[in-house]
Amino acid sequence: MFTGLSAFPLTPIPGNGSVDEKAFATLVNRLATAGVDSIGALGSTGSYAYLTREERAHVARVAVDNADGVPVIVGIGALRTLQVLQAAEDAQNAGASGVLLAPVSYQPLTDDDVFGLYEEVTANLSIPLVVYDNPGTTHFTFTDELYARLARLPQVASIKIPSLPADTAKARARVEHLRRLLPDTVTVGISGDAAAARGLNAGCDAWYSVIGGTFPEPALALTRAAQTGQHERALEESQRLQPLWDLFTRHGGSLRVVAAAAAHLGLTAQRNLPLPLRGLDAEERAHLSTVIERLQLHT
Amino acid sequence: MFTGLSAFPLTPIPGNGSVDEKAFATLVNRLATAGVDSIGALGSTGSYAYLTREERAHVARVAVDNADGVPVIVGIGALRTLQVLQAAEDAQNAGASGVLLAPVSYQPLTDDDVFGLYEEVTANLSIPLVVYDNPGTTHFTFTDELYARLARLPQVASIKIPSLPADTAKARARVEHLRRLLPDTVTVGISGDAAAARGLNAGCDAWYSVIGGTFPEPALALTRAAQTGQHERALEESQRLQPLWDLFTRHGGSLRVVAAAAAHLGLTAQRNLPLPLRGLDAEERAHLSTVIERLQLHT
C-alpha cells in the first residue's frame, strides 16, 4: 500500500466554519476514479491539525466511504500522545488502511520524546503506520539514528521523507543510505512535490503527493513514468510543472496554492482554508489560474 | 494590570492523564499569597496548547477561583481562529482579567494571517489582551511594523517580547524604540527569564515570568529591586539565578526544568507534563535539586 502515488486531498474548511463534507467527498472520489494507489486523508494538506477529534473522526469516515476501495491513510498527529491515541482509534474505526503520524510540537521535542510517542502509538495500533517527517510544520528534525530505531517498531511500514539533495547522484546515494538503514519491510516515500521525480528515480517507493490530491493525472503520469524506468520522462513532467513548484515556494508551502487551485477548478468554494490562514488574494489567484490553464491542468 | 511581576504557573498534567486540579489550585494560590502582581494561567508553562477546550475552560475557572483577587491572565492561543474565539469566550466567562494570545502555527503564518487573527479576536473581546511573541514555540517572527499595527487594535494592552540584546545600552535602545512605536496605553513586558533584570532595568513595565510561577519570592525580589531603581541589585539577583538559566538552556527551554522543580518542592506529582514531553531523568533531577538547595529556593 505504501508504494506508488499516495494523493493527499484538501479538507475544505471555510474560514471559521465546519468542514465542507460534500466537497471533500467529491475530492476523494475524484482521486479514486483517477486511479491513485492510496489516498492520504487528513495530511498537512488536509489540515488535520486544525480540527477537533470529532471533526477528524468524521472526515476519516467520509474519506473511507468515498474512496471506492482505494486504501485510505489517515493523519493522526496531535500535540498530546493521548490525542494521537484517540485519533488512531477513530481512524481504525473509520476503516482506514493505515495511519500517518508526524511529531507535532509546541514545546520543542527531544529524540526520546518522539521515540516514546511512536512506541506507545504503535503498541496500540492494528494497522500500519507511516512516519511523517515534515520539519517545515513540526519543527522537529529526525536523525538517521532515530529513523532506524522507529523503523524497528511494530506496524511501522513507511517513512515519508521531506526532500532530497538537488544533485541526482547525491539523491540516489541518500536513498541507498536509507535503504541500508531500514528493514526491507519499510518503504521510503518522497514528499515535497518538487523533489518527487528525483526521489522516485532515485529509488523511493512512494510519492506522498500534494498536487496528486488536486491534480491526480499529471502526478500519475510522473509516477508511472518513474516506476517503469522512464526516468527522463518523469523529470520532464516535473519540469513542466515547475511553475507550480515556484508558486509553492513563493507562498510558503503548497497548501495555499492547492487550496486556490481546487477553488479555481470549482471543486470547492472560494473560501476553503481554516482561519487564520488566508487564501491567495485576487491577483495571486489570477496568476495561478493562468498557470493552470497554460499547463492544461484544468481538466 | 500589565506591569510588575506576572507569574506563570505550571498546569500539572500527568502523562496521558487529566489535569491535576488540586495541585494547580495550590500552585495558583501560592502565587497570590506571595504577592505577585498578576497570574498568567495557561501560558506556555501552563501547557495550554496541549489541552482541549473543556479542559482549558475548567483550568481558567480554577485559576480565578484560587487567585484571591489577584488578576488572572488566561492564554487563549490555538491553531484555528474559531478555537481562539471559543477560548476567549470561556476565559471571560471564567472571570479572567485579561487574555494572552500567541500566533500558534502549524502551516507557517503570514503577517496578514496574524493581523487578521488579532483583529477578529479583539473585535469580539471585552477584556484586555496581551500580544504574546514567542518564536521558540510559534515559529512566527513579529516585525516592528506588525507590533505597531497590532498595538492600535482595541483591547491590546501589552506586548510580551521574547528577549532583548545582551548589551545593556542596546537593550535600553531597543525598549526605547518599542516605546516610540507603541501607544502609551500599551505596556512592554519581558519574557525569557534570563533577560528579565536587563529588561526591567531598560524600562520594560512587566516581567512575564516562568520562574515566578514556581519560585515567586526571588522573582519578586528581582522585580521590586528593578522597579525601585536598584538596578545593580536586580542584576545581582538574576546573576545569582544563573544556574537556573543555564538549565533552561540545557533542556531546550524552561518548561521541563520548572516542572521538575515543582515536583521537587512537593507541589505536584513527579509526572506532571503531558506526553510526549518527558520530564528530566533521575540524574538531571538530582542535579536540579542540588541547584535548588544551593540557591536556597526550597522554601
Side-chain angles (χ1 to χ4, degrees):
Chain A
M1 173 174 31
F2 304 106
T3 58
L5 179 66
S6 190
F8 282 71
L10 192 76
T11 307
I13 305 171
N16 289 335
S18 307
V19 171
D20 183 343
E21 180 182 326
K22 204 177 148 194
F24 178 67
T26 305
L27 282 167
V28 168
N29 197 254
R30 196 165 156 269
L31 302 181
T33 304
V36 304
D37 299 303
S38 65
I39 293 168
L42 294 168
S44 292
T45 304
S47 291
Y48 72 96
Y50 297 83
L51 298 173
T52 64
R53 177 182 183 180
E54 293 69 29
E55 289 171 316
R56 293 171 67 165
H58 186 66
V59 168
R61 279 192 299 274
V62 173
V64 173
D65 290 349
N66 289 276
D68 284 349
V70 175
V72 174
I73 304 165
V74 173
I76 59 168
L79 281 174
R80 261 193 98 173
T81 301
L82 174 70
Q83 294 157 349
V84 177
L85 292 168
Q86 291 168 340
E89 191 187 331
D90 296 341
Q92 289 177 103
N93 289 338
S97 300
V99 293
L100 174 74
L101 175 57
V104 184
S105 75
Y106 179 79
Q107 295 287 343
L109 297 173
T110 67
D111 283 12
D112 281 348
D113 293 340
V114 171
F115 182 76
L117 168 68
Y118 283 92
E119 190 178 36
E120 187 167 353
V121 171
T122 52
N124 288 280
L125 203 61
S126 58
I127 56 176
L129 176 141
V130 182
V131 174
Y132 182 11
D133 179 359
N134 187 352
T137 57
T138 65
H139 306 284
F140 179 79
T141 302
F142 284 86
T143 61
D144 282 355
E145 194 208 334
L146 184 56
Y147 273 168
R149 283 178 78 197
L150 294 174
R152 289 193 297 268
L153 289 171
Q155 303 297 359
V156 171
S158 185
I159 297 188
K160 180 178 190 292
I161 63 171
S163 195
L164 279 171
D167 177 78
T168 308
K170 282 183 185 158
R172 185 167 293 277
R174 176 68 186 145
V175 174
E176 281 164 8
H177 177 74
L178 288 173
R179 286 256 170 266
R180 282 191 298 274
L181 205 67
L182 307 174
D184 289 346
T185 49
V186 173
T187 72
V188 176
I190 183 72
S191 189
D193 285 357
R198 195 161 70 247
L200 291 168
N201 285 349
C204 286
D205 309 277
W207 174 17
Y208 296 109
S209 172
V210 173
I211 67 144
T214 301
F215 300 114
E217 282 82 7
L220 276 165
L222 191 161
T223 306
R224 300 300 178 233
Q227 285 179 317
T228 53
Q230 303 173 71
H231 292 184
E232 277 308 316
R233 214 179 126 197
L235 287 172
E236 281 164 22
E237 184 62 15
S238 179
Q239 219 151 31
R240 191 177 81 81
L241 300 172
Q242 188 64 42
L244 278 181
W245 315 151
D246 292 344
L247 284 171
F248 289 1
T249 304
R250 189 194 302 179
H251 294 293
S254 51
L255 179 62
R256 293 170 208 252
V257 179
V258 290
H264 174 75
L265 297 185
L267 296 167
T268 73
Q270 288 290 311
R271 298 185 68 213
N272 56 16
L273 287 175
L275 283 169
L277 304 179
R278 313 222 144 206
L280 302 193
D281 67 23
E283 194 179 329
E284 292 162 345
R285 280 174 196 267
H287 174 62
L288 172 65
S289 305
T290 315
V291 168
I292 290 172
E293 305 299 322
R294 186 158 19 100
L295 297 178
Q296 300 190 289
L297 295 171
H298 54 292
T299 51
Chain B
M1 176 175 29
F2 304 105
T3 59
L5 179 66
S6 189
F8 282 71
L10 193 76
T11 308
I13 304 171
N16 290 335
S18 308
V19 171
D20 183 344
E21 178 182 329
K22 204 176 147 196
F24 178 68
T26 305
L27 282 167
V28 168
N29 197 253
R30 197 166 156 267
L31 302 180
T33 305
V36 304
D37 299 304
S38 65
I39 293 168
L42 293 169
S44 292
T45 304
S47 291
Y48 72 96
Y50 298 83
L51 299 174
T52 64
R53 177 181 184 182
E54 292 70 28
E55 288 171 317
R56 294 171 66 165
H58 186 66
V59 168
R61 279 193 300 274
V62 173
V64 173
D65 289 349
N66 289 276
D68 284 351
V70 175
V72 174
I73 305 165
V74 173
I76 59 168
L79 281 174
R80 262 192 97 173
T81 301
L82 174 69
Q83 294 157 349
V84 177
L85 292 168
Q86 291 168 340
E89 190 187 331
D90 295 341
Q92 289 176 103
N93 289 338
S97 298
V99 292
L100 174 74
L101 176 56
V104 184
S105 74
Y106 179 79
Q107 295 287 344
L109 297 172
T110 67
D111 283 13
D112 280 349
D113 292 341
V114 171
F115 183 77
L117 168 68
Y118 283 91
E119 190 178 37
E120 185 166 355
V121 171
T122 54
N124 288 280
L125 203 62
S126 58
I127 57 176
L129 177 141
V130 182
V131 173
Y132 182 10
D133 179 359
N134 187 352
T137 57
T138 65
H139 305 284
F140 179 79
T141 302
F142 285 86
T143 62
D144 281 356
E145 194 208 334
L146 184 56
Y147 274 168
R149 282 177 78 197
L150 293 174
R152 289 193 296 267
L153 288 171
Q155 303 298 0
V156 171
S158 185
I159 297 188
K160 181 177 188 293
I161 62 170
S163 196
L164 278 171
D167 178 79
T168 308
K170 282 184 185 156
R172 185 168 295 276
R174 175 69 185 145
V175 175
E176 280 165 8
H177 176 74
L178 288 173
R179 286 255 170 268
R180 282 192 297 273
L181 205 67
L182 307 173
D184 289 347
T185 50
V186 174
T187 72
V188 176
I190 182 73
S191 190
D193 285 358
R198 195 161 68 246
L200 291 168
N201 284 349
C204 286
D205 309 276
W207 175 16
Y208 295 109
S209 173
V210 173
I211 68 144
T214 302
F215 300 114
E217 283 81 8
L220 277 165
L222 191 161
T223 306
R224 299 301 178 235
Q227 284 179 316
T228 53
Q230 303 172 72
H231 290 185
E232 278 306 316
R233 218 181 123 196
L235 288 172
E236 280 163 23
E237 184 61 17
S238 179
Q239 220 150 31
R240 192 177 80 80
L241 299 171
Q242 188 64 44
L244 279 182
W245 315 152
D246 292 343
L247 284 172
F248 290 1
T249 304
R250 188 192 304 177
H251 294 293
S254 52
L255 179 63
R256 293 170 208 251
V257 179
V258 291
H264 174 74
L265 297 184
L267 296 167
T268 72
Q270 288 290 311
R271 299 185 68 214
N272 57 16
L273 288 174
L275 283 169
L277 304 177
R278 314 223 142 204
L280 303 191
D281 67 23
E283 194 180 329
E284 293 162 346
R285 280 174 196 267
H287 175 64
L288 172 64
S289 304
T290 316
V291 169
I292 290 172
E293 305 299 322
R294 188 161 13 104
L295 297 179
Q296 301 190 288
L297 296 171
H298 54 293
T299 52

